[in-house]
Amino acid sequence: DRRKIYFFGIIDILERFSLRWKVQRGVLNLGYHMLLRAPDAAGMSALPPLEYADRFKTFGLYEVLHVPAAHPNPLPPHPPPPNPHPPPP
């Protein structure tokens, strides 16, 4: 039986990712690491806006609408940062 009830709130969407959220994320992340539960830190709600939006969208598509996953990692890879000290010619 795949019947589930989901409750969605929009309060986090209306929040600004301010210094308070950044501090909250840091404290929670540190707490997870101190309790040796670092992998669980990915599930916390204090995420930067793009990561939060992606997680919300992914949950809606795959868990609520049951859209088949086309790619195991929906986030595109980030390009490496530029080398501040390129090798001499």
Side-chain angles (χ1 to χ4, degrees):
D1 185 10
R2 294 175 60 133
R3 293 174 46 175
K4 298 177 184 176
I5 298 174
Y6 295 100
F7 294 93
F8 290 96
I10 61 168
I11 194 69
D12 288 339
I13 295 170
L14 299 176
E15 291 273 339
R16 284 204 137 114
F17 193 69
S18 63
L19 179 61
R20 182 183 69 85
W21 275 96
K22 292 175 186 176
V23 169
Q24 178 185 354
R25 177 171 169 75
V27 169
L28 287 172
N29 203 5
L30 179 64
Y32 278 110
H33 282 82
M34 289 176 66
L35 294 172
L36 302 175
R37 297 184 60 167
D40 294 337
M44 70 175 131
S45 65
L47 292 173
L50 292 177
E51 291 178 44
Y52 188 91
D54 182 69
R55 187 179 68 182
F56 188 82
K57 180 181 80 171
T58 300
F59 175 79
L61 287 174
Y62 303 134
E63 296 295 323
V64 178
L65 300 176
H66 303 291
V67 173
H71 192 283
N73 182 7
L75 290 175
H78 293 287
N83 185 353
H85 306 289

